[in-house]
Amino acid sequence: MTDILTYGDFAYDPDARTLRGLLLPFGEKCRTSTSGHEVEFSADTIDLPRDPSVVTLNREHNRHDPIGRATALAKTDRGVEATFQLGNTDEADDWLSRQKDTLRKLSAEVVFAADKVRAKLTGSALVTEGAFASAGLFALAETPADEAKETPDEDTPSEEPEAAEAAESEDAMTDIATLPEGVQPAGDSKADTTASGLFASISRVGRGDAAEARRLAGENADFAIAGIQHSGPSSVTIGADTQETGYLGELWSGNAYRRKYVNLFHQRALTNYEVRGWKWVSKPEVAAYAGNLAEVPSNAVDTAPVTATARRIAGGHRIDRRYLDFNDQGVIESYFRLMSESYAKVSDADILAKAVAAAGSATDIDEVDGVNGVYAGIIQGALDLVAEDITPTFAVVDPSVYASVLYELDKEKLAHLSNSFGLTGGTFDGFTVVPGAVGTDNVLVGARQALTVFELPGVPIRVDALAVHNGALDTALYGYLGDITNDARGLSLKHTTPAAG
């Protein structure tokens, strides 16, 4: 069994050549600082290297006099605790033989960031007095000093002399190296069951002692290792207390909506709340003329005024002003982005509904053998416009029958369709086809000039104001939209029957 050597208030395993200590305490102001200002560290202001071995242990901050290297660095409630492996060198032996009683304080070597607050641990030193009073070596399994010992009741009978002597001897040992919580000695009375003995055993396992490994693994074990659960029925659970959460920000909730119907029609800026225009009711016409001083042909003409009042679209909410005070602009910007998207969707549906209403009642198609009903509806609706000398530019197919368009895409008769035609619409020869709510089994065929859409420039308008009495931010979005049907003959609504099979 390896002997654990004790030097005052710290312990050392001569075989493992291991030291442990509090390298950098948290919440303690330093005595001096080479950076020229008073320093106090916390777990959030010190960065530890991923590989602890880059932190060397030297004497009196002489980087040309290293005697060991860190094997573990950990942030605890008290501060950064470090485990060092002394080198197998003359310098390390010199410290053990001459300076272990004088150089027993630890001092961290750090590099400060530009803010003079955050720092990165780069090295360590054994010194007589460091920058922090509590930094120094301690026993390999030291118990915090404020852990109280149980005081026996005055009425409790005193122990037998032999038992008291044994207890006194055990206390003397645990003052140096106390058994950690959760590690209990097993039945072998000859085994060294102190915490120092445990660390010495682990050290021997690391050097390839198979018998020691079997003993620690449970075969005639001298130490029973207590389990710590992440969660579950046990009271010894640490997951909820220690686990860190990862901030993900806003999660994806679908593609942003892009207007499909407003852009099908002629668009103009809305400059007044009410728009006025006029159109011909009866158009002037010419006819054959006989000449020879006869009167020229003439016909009755008439006009009519056309007016439209803008429609309002708006929405608003009251938001806790903490998003403004703590500059959580991601939340506010996401809010307005979604409100703008909602405006696009509502205004788009509004205009499509106006176009369907202007087209009037749907008329049934004439069925054509071997032709899909949707295509028949598009063609026959387009022919209605052509008969009025109007050039059709688009078709809106109701979702209830739009799928039948896609099912036909692989047939030769649709070879004229461009490759861009797909799930969200397509074009061929300048003619646009998009899905949209125009009534079950219906197809709306139209011309761009049939409808004019008026919209206030710059919409949607973002407005926000402080509600100081409620500690809130009032936010809102406004838009103004209008339309005029220029000529209803430029819109044809057809009712189709999907092709069987």
Side-chain angles (χ1 to χ4, degrees), residues 42-123:
S42 68
D44 294 329
T45 59
I46 184 69
D47 295 327
L48 305 181
R50 292 197 304 270
D51 184 357
S53 66
V54 301
V55 176
T56 58
L57 180 67
N58 59 60
R59 291 184 289 187
E60 297 288 0
H61 290 294
N62 182 356
R63 296 186 181 183
H64 299 289
D65 184 30
I67 64 170
R69 189 178 299 277
T71 58
L73 298 169
K75 294 180 182 180
T76 68
D77 291 340
R78 292 190 292 179
V80 177
E81 293 185 4
T83 301
F84 297 101
Q85 177 72 52
L86 290 180
N88 187 16
T89 63
D90 293 339
E91 290 79 4
D93 293 339
D94 182 57
W95 176 81
L96 284 170
S97 62
R98 295 191 310 107
Q99 297 174 311
K100 60 183 178 296
D101 296 324
T102 56
L103 299 183
R104 60 175 51 203
K105 292 292 187 179
L106 286 173
S107 181
E109 296 174 349
V110 301
V111 174
F112 282 94
D115 59 6
K116 301 298 183 181
V117 175
R118 195 171 191 87
K120 180 178 180 179
L121 180 65
T122 60

Side-chain angles (χ1 to χ4, degrees), residues 47-403:
D47 295 327
L48 305 181
R50 292 197 304 270
D51 184 357
S53 66
V54 301
V55 176
T56 58
L57 180 67
N58 59 60
R59 291 184 289 187
E60 297 288 0
H61 290 294
N62 182 356
R63 296 186 181 183
H64 299 289
D65 184 30
I67 64 170
R69 189 178 299 277
T71 58
L73 298 169
K75 294 180 182 180
T76 68
D77 291 340
R78 292 190 292 179
V80 177
E81 293 185 4
T83 301
F84 297 101
Q85 177 72 52
L86 290 180
N88 187 16
T89 63
D90 293 339
E91 290 79 4
D93 293 339
D94 182 57
W95 176 81
L96 284 170
S97 62
R98 295 191 310 107
Q99 297 174 311
K100 60 183 178 296
D101 296 324
T102 56
L103 299 183
R104 60 175 51 203
K105 292 292 187 179
L106 286 173
S107 181
E109 296 174 349
V110 301
V111 174
F112 282 94
D115 59 6
K116 301 298 183 181
V117 175
R118 195 171 191 87
K120 180 178 180 179
L121 180 65
T122 60
S124 58
L126 285 163
V127 294
T128 55
E129 288 294 336
F132 295 91
S134 61
L137 297 173
F138 53 74
L140 285 176
E142 180 178 287
T143 299
D146 57 356
E147 187 172 309
K149 294 184 178 180
E150 182 177 349
T151 303
D153 191 276
E154 292 182 356
D155 297 331
T156 303
S158 60
E159 298 177 333
E160 292 295 327
E162 292 183 0
E165 181 179 352
E168 182 177 343
S169 174
E170 183 178 349
D171 286 343
M173 178 179 292
T174 55
D175 282 344
I176 297 172
T178 304
L179 198 65
E181 181 181 355
V183 180
Q184 301 296 333
D188 188 355
S189 60
K190 296 182 180 180
D192 183 355
T193 57
T194 66
S196 297
L198 172 61
F199 284 107
S201 296
I202 294 174
S203 173
R204 287 192 293 277
V205 172
R207 295 194 300 275
D209 190 330
E212 193 72 10
R214 289 193 300 272
R215 190 171 64 84
L216 286 179
E219 183 182 331
N220 299 320
D222 294 312
F223 303 96
I225 305 301
I228 299 178
Q229 296 179 203
H230 174 77
S231 60
S234 170
S235 60
V236 187
T237 57
I238 63 173
D241 300 325
T242 62
Q243 68 186 7
E244 296 184 7
T245 58
Y247 179 70
L248 300 177
E250 182 183 6
L251 301 181
W252 180 83
S253 57
N255 295 334
Y257 183 82
R258 298 182 181 275
R259 294 202 293 198
K260 296 179 287 186
Y261 314 121
V262 169
N263 298 331
L264 296 177
F265 300 102
H266 182 57
Q267 298 177 62
R268 293 186 62 178
L270 181 65
T271 56
N272 296 282
Y273 189 67
E274 184 179 72
V275 294
R276 291 179 177 270
W278 63 275
K279 65 180 180 179
W280 290 100
V281 177
S282 300
K283 297 179 181 180
E285 299 174 348
V286 299
Y289 174 49
N292 198 24
L293 301 181
E295 289 188 6
V296 297
S298 183
N299 71 307
V301 298
D302 193 14
T303 60
V306 178
T307 62
T309 301
R311 299 183 295 279
R312 300 184 183 189
I313 300 174
H317 297 82
R318 176 161 287 185
I319 302 175
D320 191 321
R321 67 167 292 143
R322 80 168 180 85
Y323 294 103
L324 186 65
D325 294 337
F326 287 96
N327 198 31
D328 289 343
Q329 293 301 311
V331 174
I332 296 176
E333 290 305 316
S334 177
Y335 166 83
F336 279 112
R337 176 177 55 79
L338 292 177
M339 289 287 280
S340 298
E341 186 179 328
S342 177
Y343 171 82
K345 185 179 297 184
V346 171
S347 60
D348 212 24
D350 177 280
I351 292 301
L352 181 60
K354 292 293 183 181
V356 171
S361 300
T363 58
D364 292 334
I365 63 168
D366 296 327
E367 294 188 19
V368 181
D369 290 341
V371 177
N372 180 285
V374 174
Y375 286 101
I378 293 175
I379 293 171
Q380 293 175 28
L383 291 175
D384 288 345
L385 272 61
V386 171
E388 298 290 345
D389 294 324
I390 298 172
T391 302
T393 59
F394 69 85
V396 182
V397 181
D398 193 81
S400 59
V401 288
Y402 183 74

Side-chain angles (χ1 to χ4, degrees), residues 23-41:
L23 179 58
L24 193 64
F26 293 156
E28 178 179 334
K29 296 186 183 300
C30 70
R31 292 194 183 101
T32 60
S33 173
T34 57
S35 61
H37 66 287
E38 193 173 52
V39 179
E40 180 178 341
F41 288 96

